[in-house]
Structure formats: structure tokens, C-alpha cells
Amino acid sequence: MNVSRDHRVMQESTAELVGGFEAHQAQPSLFSPAELPPRLWTLDEVAEFLQMSKDWVRDHATRRQPRIPCVRLGGRRAILRFRPGDVIRFVNENLRTGERSK
């Protein structure tokens, strides 16, 4: 086994990989930044926005009324994510004024 030859081949291969990586041009985005949807909010972010506990937000996203719309990623123990517009709509739909219902 020729160690110096193997080492030289490995160095050349590494140099080719690094050179290829540096020469790689980034792909143009399929969407402009204006077309991208806003970043999804986490459970923590929604709880902070609503000034409620994470448990309260999770309950109202999964089983209690009024329901906060969410994106479920996974099965039974799903990770929850929220579209900012849905959370704001939830607040507006549940806004109570000083008027009494008849």
C-alpha cells in the first residue's frame, strides 16, 4: 500500500470538491420575496403574542373553542405552527365590544 500516493489522491479529490463547491452558483429563487408567505409562528410566539400560556394556545389549537387555526406537522403528537394572519383573524373574530347581545 502506497500511503503517500493515496494521500495525494485524497488531497486532489478534496481540492476538486472544494473548487467545485466554490464555483457553484446559487440557483435563482422560484419566488420573489414578495411572493413568499410569511414565516410560520411557533407555539411560543403565538402564546407571547396573545399573552396567554402555551398550554392555553395548544388547547385552543387542538380541542377547545374558540379554535385557533394551525398547521399540524406530524401525527398525534404533532408540532403546531401558525400562520400570522390566522392568529390575527382569530383575535379580530373574538373581539368583544362593550355592547350586550340581545
Side-chain angles (χ1 to χ4, degrees):
M1 181 163 140
N2 189 342
V3 176
S4 68
R5 184 176 146 293
D6 291 343
H7 188 283
R8 190 181 69 233
V9 170
M10 190 167 44
Q11 282 180 332
E12 289 172 2
S13 298
T14 303
E16 289 172 4
L17 286 171
V18 170
F21 179 76
E22 290 172 346
H24 178 71
Q25 296 292 326
Q27 291 284 335
S29 177
L30 296 175
F31 303 100
S32 72
E35 294 174 311
L36 291 175
R39 182 182 67 80
L40 295 174
W41 286 356
T42 65
L43 186 70
D44 291 333
E45 291 170 323
V46 174
E48 183 179 336
F49 178 78
L50 296 176
Q51 299 178 355
M52 301 300 287
S53 71
K54 291 188 320 186
D55 289 336
W56 187 93
V57 173
R58 184 181 297 107
D59 283 347
H60 285 271
T62 59
R63 60 192 180 103
R64 295 207 177 172
Q65 296 296 329
R67 192 61 67 89
I68 302 171
C70 68
V71 177
R72 294 179 60 92
L73 305 171
R76 185 177 184 279
R77 302 274 305 163
I79 295 171
L80 303 177
R81 293 293 182 261
F82 303 83
R83 294 187 302 188
D86 289 342
V87 176
I88 292 167
R89 193 172 310 107
F90 169 81
V91 170
N92 290 334
E93 289 172 356
N94 291 285
L95 181 66
R96 299 283 187 242
T97 61
E99 301 173 10
R100 290 187 176 246
S101 301
K102 292 184 182 184

